């Protein structure tokens, strides 16, 4: 009963507090459970488990509609002059996470929703092709109990997996289709009053381009607060954008590469302690 109560609370969607529906996955990413589990449900129905999926006009792909397209399209429709994607956030303790805090004002499509949506599409498509016990599927995908110390778990490649399933132009098409469906539904009809077909097409184009640039073309960046960094000593000099250049640096220790989020976070903290305490630097040195 306690686990069922926790799951019920995590699935209660609240756009004003999206951090309440997120969990820290074993691969170190924060995942919203809502789009993840709805994608799994669509995959199960496509694979023959449960009632058939409804057919809607205009035609749309239910797997994309319930995971990414509706939330993405609605966010760009409402936030025309403000950011419609993000932000990310951090957990209070990477070893024993309890509370997740966003790094800025919430949108309808924060990073945790993007991760959950991509995972929902990838896992839903898998279940449609090959019915798999859910516990086995989730353990294998997120890297728990599959000897993940020897290799990165499949969830580390969610961006690549989603890109392969979306293909060129599909995301824009699905966002446009779901917005036309929302135009006909009583709860959302008011959102699209006075919004013509050309504007819907423009919103879908911006949404697909923004999602692609942020979540598919750029690598996931792990912020300092996620690996438990100490504060910078002294007063840092802020940089101004655009940057002329930046460096991606290797690490000398540990000699064997870390394969899990917790191991990598511990390695980063060890490097910072050595540079601050032994070398008396302000922070990790270049």
């Amino acid at each position: 009963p306690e686990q069922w109560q926790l799951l019920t609370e995590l699935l209660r969607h609240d756009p004003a507090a999206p951090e309440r529906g997120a969990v820290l996955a074993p691969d170190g990413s924060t995942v919203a459970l809502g789009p993840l589990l709805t994608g799994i449900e669509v995959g199960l129905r496509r694979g023959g488990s449960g009632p058939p999926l409804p057919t809607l006009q205009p035609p749309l792909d239910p797997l994309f509609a319930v995971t990414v397209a509706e939330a993405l399209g609605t966010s760009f429709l409402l936030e025309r002059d403000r950011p419609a994607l993000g932000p990310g956030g951090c957990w209070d303790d990477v070893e024993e996470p309890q509370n997740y805090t966003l790094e800025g004002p919430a949108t309808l499509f924060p990073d945790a929703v993007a991760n959950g949506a991509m995972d929902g599409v990838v896992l839903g498509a898998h279940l449609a092709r090959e019915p798999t016990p859910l516990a086995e599927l989730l353990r294998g995908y997120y890297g728990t109990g599959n000897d993940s110390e020897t290799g990165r778990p499949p969830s580390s490649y969610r961006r690549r997996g989603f890109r392969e399933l979306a293909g060129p132009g599909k995301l824009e098409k699905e966002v446009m289709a779901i917005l036309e469906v929302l135009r006909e539904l009583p709860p959302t009809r008011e959102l699209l009053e006075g919004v013509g077909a050309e504007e819907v097409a423009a919103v879908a184009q911006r949404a697909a381009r923004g999602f692609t640039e942020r979540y598919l073309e750029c690598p996931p960046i792990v912020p300092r607060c996620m690996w438990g960094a100490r504060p910078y000593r002294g007063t840092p000099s802020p940089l101004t954008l655009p940057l002329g250049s930046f460096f991606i640096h290797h690490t000398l220790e540990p000699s064997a590469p870390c394969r899990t989020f917790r191991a990598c976070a511990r390695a980063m903290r060890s490097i910072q302690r050595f540079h601050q305490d032994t070398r008396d630097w302000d922070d990790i040195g270049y």
Side-chain angles (χ1 to χ4, degrees):
E2 292 81 6
Q3 292 178 330
W4 183 254
Q5 178 63 28
L6 174 61
L7 187 61
T8 302
E9 292 178 5
L10 290 173
L11 284 173
R12 187 175 296 121
H13 180 64
D14 183 0
E19 66 275 11
R20 294 181 184 172
V23 296
L24 179 60
D27 66 354
S29 59
T30 301
V31 177
L33 288 181
L36 166 64
L37 294 181
T38 50
I40 286 175
E41 181 180 1
V42 169
L44 289 171
R45 291 196 188 189
R46 278 186 170 171
S49 301
L53 294 164
T55 301
L56 298 173
Q57 293 297 331
L60 49 75
D61 185 333
L63 182 57
F64 280 79
V66 301
T67 53
V68 60
E70 180 183 359
L72 182 61
T74 304
S75 187
F76 271 81
L77 182 67
L78 294 176
E79 308 291 350
R80 301 180 191 184
D81 301 320
R82 294 180 294 176
L85 299 174
C90 281
W91 292 88
D92 53 350
D93 186 335
V94 296
E95 298 291 339
E96 296 293 337
Q98 296 292 325
N99 298 299
Y100 179 66
T101 304
L102 295 177
E103 294 179 299
T107 68
L108 294 179
F109 205 89
D111 291 355
V113 169
N115 288 334
M118 288 187 281
D119 289 349
V121 169
V122 171
L123 295 180
H126 173 89
L127 287 168
R129 296 189 308 267
E130 180 184 342
T132 307
L134 288 184
E136 176 185 324
L137 177 71
L138 294 172
R139 277 197 300 266
Y141 183 72
Y142 289 112
T144 56
N146 69 338
D147 198 21
S148 58
E149 287 284 356
T150 62
R152 295 176 67 186
S155 57
S156 298
Y157 303 99
R158 65 167 54 85
R159 298 179 182 221
R160 184 180 69 185
F162 180 88
R163 187 189 300 114
E164 292 173 353
L165 291 168
K170 182 173 178 61
L171 186 57
E172 180 179 339
K173 172 186 172 184
E174 295 302 329
V175 171
M176 193 182 316
I178 194 65
L179 289 177
E180 292 299 340
V181 170
L182 295 181
R183 188 195 298 278
E184 303 300 324
L185 299 177
T188 53
R189 190 176 296 157
E190 292 183 0
L191 290 178
L192 288 119
E193 282 185 0
V195 180
E198 291 185 3
E199 188 172 353
V200 166
V203 168
Q205 185 181 54
R206 289 200 311 273
R209 183 173 63 244
F211 181 94
T212 299
E213 290 175 352
R214 181 174 180 120
Y215 299 114
L216 300 184
E217 294 178 354
C218 294
I221 304 297
V222 180
R224 289 167 60 91
C225 58
M226 275 298 288
W227 53 266
R230 293 173 172 179
Y232 184 95
R233 289 180 177 174
T235 304
S237 301
L239 300 174
T240 57
L241 297 176
L243 301 179
S245 60
F246 66 94
F247 294 89
I248 300 175
H249 201 282
H250 70 89
T251 57
L252 177 63
E253 298 290 347
S255 56
C258 59
R259 297 293 188 182
T260 67
F261 169 68
R262 289 184 176 182
C264 292
R266 284 193 294 269
M268 289 298 298
R269 293 195 298 271
S270 175
I271 292 170
Q272 188 185 41
R273 282 195 303 272
F274 172 66
H275 285 188
Q276 286 187 327
D277 297 345
T278 303
R279 294 192 168 176
D280 199 30
W281 293 346
D282 289 337
D283 210 316
I284 292 176
Y286 162 62

